[in-house]
PDB file of all heavy atoms in Angstrom:
ATOM      1  N   ILE A 455     -76.175  98.811 141.015  1.00 90.00           N
ATOM      2  CA  ILE A 455     -76.400  99.631 142.204  1.00 90.00           C
ATOM      3  C   ILE A 455     -76.357 101.110 141.835  1.00 90.00           C
ATOM      4  O   ILE A 455     -77.155 101.923 142.332  1.00 90.00           O
ATOM      5  CB  ILE A 455     -75.329  99.321 143.266  1.00 90.00           C
ATOM      6  CG1 ILE A 455     -75.521  97.903 143.827  1.00 90.00           C
ATOM      7  CG2 ILE A 455     -75.373 100.329 144.408  1.00 90.00           C
ATOM      8  CD1 ILE A 455     -76.814  97.687 144.561  1.00 90.00           C
ATOM      9  N   LYS A 456     -75.460 101.442 140.938  1.00 85.00           N
ATOM     10  CA  LYS A 456     -75.308 102.841 140.552  1.00 85.00           C
ATOM     11  C   LYS A 456     -76.365 103.286 139.546  1.00 85.00           C
ATOM     12  O   LYS A 456     -76.900 104.389 139.635  1.00 85.00           O
ATOM     13  CB  LYS A 456     -73.916 103.045 139.951  1.00 85.00           C
ATOM     14  CG  LYS A 456     -73.608 104.481 139.574  1.00 85.00           C
ATOM     15  CD  LYS A 456     -72.195 104.591 139.029  1.00 85.00           C
ATOM     16  CE  LYS A 456     -71.858 106.026 138.634  1.00 85.00           C
ATOM     17  NZ  LYS A 456     -70.480 106.117 138.083  1.00 85.00           N
ATOM     18  N   ASN A 457     -76.677 102.415 138.605  1.00 83.00           N
ATOM     19  CA  ASN A 457     -77.585 102.784 137.514  1.00 83.00           C
ATOM     20  C   ASN A 457     -78.660 101.727 137.344  1.00 83.00           C
ATOM     21  O   ASN A 457     -78.777 101.110 136.292  1.00 83.00           O
ATOM     22  CB  ASN A 457     -76.813 102.934 136.202  1.00 83.00           C
ATOM     23  CG  ASN A 457     -75.672 103.911 136.317  1.00 83.00           C
ATOM     24  OD1 ASN A 457     -75.862 105.050 136.716  1.00 83.00           O
ATOM     25  ND2 ASN A 457     -74.462 103.472 135.964  1.00 83.00           N
ATOM     26  N   GLU A 458     -79.413 101.475 138.375  1.00 69.00           N
ATOM     27  CA  GLU A 458     -80.456 100.457 138.275  1.00 69.00           C
ATOM     28  C   GLU A 458     -81.542 100.931 137.315  1.00 69.00           C
ATOM     29  O   GLU A 458     -82.161 101.981 137.520  1.00 69.00           O
ATOM     30  CB  GLU A 458     -81.069 100.179 139.647  1.00 69.00           C
ATOM     31  CG  GLU A 458     -82.055  99.018 139.622  1.00 69.00           C
ATOM     32  CD  GLU A 458     -82.620  98.721 141.002  1.00 69.00           C
ATOM     33  OE1 GLU A 458     -82.261  99.438 141.947  1.00 69.00           O
ATOM     34  OE2 GLU A 458     -83.417  97.786 141.118  1.00 69.00           O
ATOM     35  N   PRO A 459     -81.791 100.161 136.240  1.00 60.00           N
ATOM     36  CA  PRO A 459     -82.793 100.600 135.263  1.00 60.00           C
ATOM     37  C   PRO A 459     -84.211 100.586 135.811  1.00 60.00           C
ATOM     38  O   PRO A 459     -85.045 101.395 135.437  1.00 60.00           O
ATOM     39  CB  PRO A 459     -82.638  99.585 134.128  1.00 60.00           C
ATOM     40  CG  PRO A 459     -82.057  98.371 134.779  1.00 60.00           C
ATOM     41  CD  PRO A 459     -81.179  98.888 135.881  1.00 60.00           C
ATOM     42  N   LYS A 460     -84.481  99.661 136.724  1.00 60.00           N
ATOM     43  CA  LYS A 460     -85.823  99.552 137.288  1.00 60.00           C
ATOM     44  C   LYS A 460     -85.960 100.487 138.483  1.00 60.00           C
ATOM     45  O   LYS A 460     -85.283 100.336 139.486  1.00 60.00           O
ATOM     46  CB  LYS A 460     -86.086  98.109 137.717  1.00 60.00           C
ATOM     47  CG  LYS A 460     -87.467  97.886 138.321  1.00 60.00           C
ATOM     48  CD  LYS A 460     -87.604  96.457 138.778  1.00 60.00           C
ATOM     49  CE  LYS A 460     -88.949  96.239 139.477  1.00 60.00           C
ATOM     50  NZ  LYS A 460     -89.097  94.867 139.965  1.00 60.00           N
ATOM     51  N   GLU A 461     -86.828 101.455 138.368  1.00 60.00           N
ATOM     52  CA  GLU A 461     -87.039 102.399 139.460  1.00 60.00           C
ATOM     53  C   GLU A 461     -87.852 101.738 140.569  1.00 60.00           C
ATOM     54  O   GLU A 461     -88.867 101.098 140.320  1.00 60.00           O
ATOM     55  CB  GLU A 461     -87.791 103.632 138.948  1.00 60.00           C
ATOM     56  CG  GLU A 461     -86.940 104.528 138.061  1.00 60.00           C
ATOM     57  CD  GLU A 461     -85.768 105.141 138.812  1.00 60.00           C
ATOM     58  OE1 GLU A 461     -85.888 105.338 140.031  1.00 60.00           O
ATOM     59  OE2 GLU A 461     -84.732 105.408 138.185  1.00 60.00           O
ATOM     60  N   THR A 462     -87.376 101.863 141.772  1.00 66.00           N
ATOM     61  CA  THR A 462     -88.088 101.310 142.919  1.00 66.00           C
ATOM     62  C   THR A 462     -88.556 102.450 143.809  1.00 66.00           C
ATOM     63  O   THR A 462     -87.854 103.444 143.993  1.00 66.00           O
ATOM     64  CB  THR A 462     -87.173 100.384 143.723  1.00 66.00           C
ATOM     65  OG1 THR A 462     -85.974 101.078 144.048  1.00 66.00           O
ATOM     66  CG2 THR A 462     -86.818  99.148 142.908  1.00 66.00           C
ATOM     67  N   SER A 463     -89.739 102.298 144.358  1.00 78.00           N
ATOM     68  CA  SER A 463     -90.308 103.358 145.183  1.00 78.00           C
ATOM     69  C   SER A 463     -89.621 103.403 146.539  1.00 78.00           C
ATOM     70  O   SER A 463     -89.056 102.412 146.994  1.00 78.00           O
ATOM     71  CB  SER A 463     -91.812 103.111 145.371  1.00 78.00           C
ATOM     72  OG  SER A 463     -92.018 101.867 146.014  1.00 78.00           O
ATOM     73  N   VAL A 464     -89.675 104.581 147.160  1.00 82.00           N
ATOM     74  CA  VAL A 464     -89.116 104.736 148.499  1.00 82.00           C
ATOM     75  C   VAL A 464     -90.262 104.736 149.500  1.00 82.00           C
ATOM     76  O   VAL A 464     -91.387 105.109 149.187  1.00 82.00           O
ATOM     77  CB  VAL A 464     -88.308 106.042 148.616  1.00 82.00           C
ATOM     78  CG1 VAL A 464     -87.087 105.984 147.732  1.00 82.00           C
ATOM     79  CG2 VAL A 464     -89.172 107.254 148.278  1.00 82.00           C
ATOM     80  N   SER A 465     -89.946 104.300 150.689  1.00 87.00           N
ATOM     81  CA  SER A 465     -90.962 104.254 151.733  1.00 87.00           C
ATOM     82  C   SER A 465     -91.281 105.672 152.203  1.00 87.00           C
ATOM     83  O   SER A 465     -90.408 106.533 152.300  1.00 87.00           O
ATOM     84  CB  SER A 465     -90.462 103.407 152.898  1.00 87.00           C
ATOM     85  OG  SER A 465     -91.397 103.422 153.941  1.00 87.00           O
ATOM     86  N   LYS A 466     -92.529 105.912 152.534  1.00 90.00           N
ATOM     87  CA  LYS A 466     -92.953 107.233 152.993  1.00 90.00           C
ATOM     88  C   LYS A 466     -92.373 107.583 154.354  1.00 90.00           C
ATOM     89  O   LYS A 466     -92.325 108.756 154.720  1.00 90.00           O
ATOM     90  CB  LYS A 466     -94.483 107.287 153.071  1.00 90.00           C
ATOM     91  CG  LYS A 466     -95.163 107.168 151.717  1.00 90.00           C
ATOM     92  CD  LYS A 466     -96.678 107.216 151.869  1.00 90.00           C
ATOM     93  CE  LYS A 466     -97.378 107.096 150.523  1.00 90.00           C
ATOM     94  NZ  LYS A 466     -98.849 107.148 150.662  1.00 90.00           N
ATOM     95  N   ASP A 467     -91.930 106.560 155.088  1.00 92.00           N
ATOM     96  CA  ASP A 467     -91.436 106.834 156.439  1.00 92.00           C
ATOM     97  C   ASP A 467     -89.922 107.022 156.487  1.00 92.00           C
ATOM     98  O   ASP A 467     -89.349 107.187 157.556  1.00 92.00           O
ATOM     99  CB  ASP A 467     -91.847 105.714 157.397  1.00 92.00           C
ATOM    100  CG  ASP A 467     -91.368 104.349 156.925  1.00 92.00           C
ATOM    101  OD1 ASP A 467     -90.599 104.295 155.953  1.00 92.00           O
ATOM    102  OD2 ASP A 467     -91.774 103.338 157.530  1.00 92.00           O
ATOM    103  N   GLY A 468     -89.260 106.964 155.311  1.00 92.00           N
ATOM    104  CA  GLY A 468     -87.824 107.226 155.274  1.00 92.00           C
ATOM    105  C   GLY A 468     -86.974 106.092 155.802  1.00 92.00           C
ATOM    106  O   GLY A 468     -85.831 106.317 156.214  1.00 92.00           O
ATOM    107  N   THR A 469     -87.521 104.879 155.784  1.00 93.00           N
ATOM    108  CA  THR A 469     -86.775 103.751 156.323  1.00 93.00           C
ATOM    109  C   THR A 469     -85.688 103.294 155.357  1.00 93.00           C
ATOM    110  O   THR A 469     -85.520 103.852 154.271  1.00 93.00           O
ATOM    111  CB  THR A 469     -87.728 102.587 156.642  1.00 93.00           C
ATOM    112  OG1 THR A 469     -87.028 101.611 157.384  1.00 93.00           O
ATOM    113  CG2 THR A 469     -88.255 101.955 155.365  1.00 93.00           C
ATOM    114  N   VAL A 470     -84.979 102.256 155.728  1.00 93.00           N
ATOM    115  CA  VAL A 470     -83.888 101.740 154.901  1.00 93.00           C
ATOM    116  C   VAL A 470     -84.437 101.276 153.560  1.00 93.00           C
ATOM    117  O   VAL A 470     -85.431 100.547 153.496  1.00 93.00           O
ATOM    118  CB  VAL A 470     -83.186 100.556 155.611  1.00 93.00           C
ATOM    119  CG1 VAL A 470     -82.062 100.008 154.749  1.00 93.00           C
ATOM    120  CG2 VAL A 470     -82.662 101.003 156.970  1.00 93.00           C
ATOM    121  N   HIS A 471     -83.778 101.690 152.481  1.00 92.00           N
ATOM    122  CA  HIS A 471     -84.238 101.340 151.144  1.00 92.00           C
ATOM    123  C   HIS A 471     -83.821  99.916 150.806  1.00 92.00           C
ATOM    124  O   HIS A 471     -82.801  99.418 151.268  1.00 92.00           O
ATOM    125  CB  HIS A 471     -83.662 102.319 150.117  1.00 92.00           C
ATOM    126  CG  HIS A 471     -84.398 102.290 148.809  1.00 92.00           C
ATOM    127  ND1 HIS A 471     -84.108 101.372 147.836  1.00 92.00           N
ATOM    128  CD2 HIS A 471     -85.402 103.072 148.334  1.00 92.00           C
ATOM    129  CE1 HIS A 471     -84.912 101.573 146.793  1.00 92.00           C
ATOM    130  NE2 HIS A 471     -85.702 102.606 147.072  1.00 92.00           N
ATOM    131  N   GLU A 472     -84.616  99.263 149.963  1.00 90.00           N
ATOM    132  CA  GLU A 472     -84.303  97.892 149.598  1.00 90.00           C
ATOM    133  C   GLU A 472     -82.999  97.798 148.807  1.00 90.00           C
ATOM    134  O   GLU A 472     -82.312  96.760 148.838  1.00 90.00           O
ATOM    135  CB  GLU A 472     -85.439  97.267 148.793  1.00 90.00           C
ATOM    136  CG  GLU A 472     -85.701  97.900 147.449  1.00 90.00           C
ATOM    137  CD  GLU A 472     -86.802  97.169 146.702  1.00 90.00           C
ATOM    138  OE1 GLU A 472     -86.549  96.038 146.266  1.00 90.00           O
ATOM    139  OE2 GLU A 472     -87.890  97.722 146.571  1.00 90.00           O
ATOM    140  N   ILE A 473     -82.630  98.843 148.101  1.00 90.00           N
ATOM    141  CA  ILE A 473     -81.338  98.823 147.404  1.00 90.00           C
ATOM    142  C   ILE A 473     -80.208  98.652 148.415  1.00 90.00           C
ATOM    143  O   ILE A 473     -79.262  97.896 148.197  1.00 90.00           O
ATOM    144  CB  ILE A 473     -81.143 100.128 146.597  1.00 90.00           C
ATOM    145  CG1 ILE A 473     -82.149 100.195 145.453  1.00 90.00           C
ATOM    146  CG2 ILE A 473     -79.720 100.222 146.057  1.00 90.00           C
ATOM    147  CD1 ILE A 473     -82.066 101.480 144.654  1.00 90.00           C
TER     148      ILE A 473
END
Side-chain angles (χ1 to χ4, degrees):
I455 291 296
K456 183 178 180 181
N457 305 306
E458 186 178 2
K460 180 183 176 182
E461 288 296 331
T462 53
S463 60
V464 294
S465 176
K466 294 179 180 180
D467 56 8
T469 191
V470 179
H471 197 276
E472 65 177 289
I473 293 177

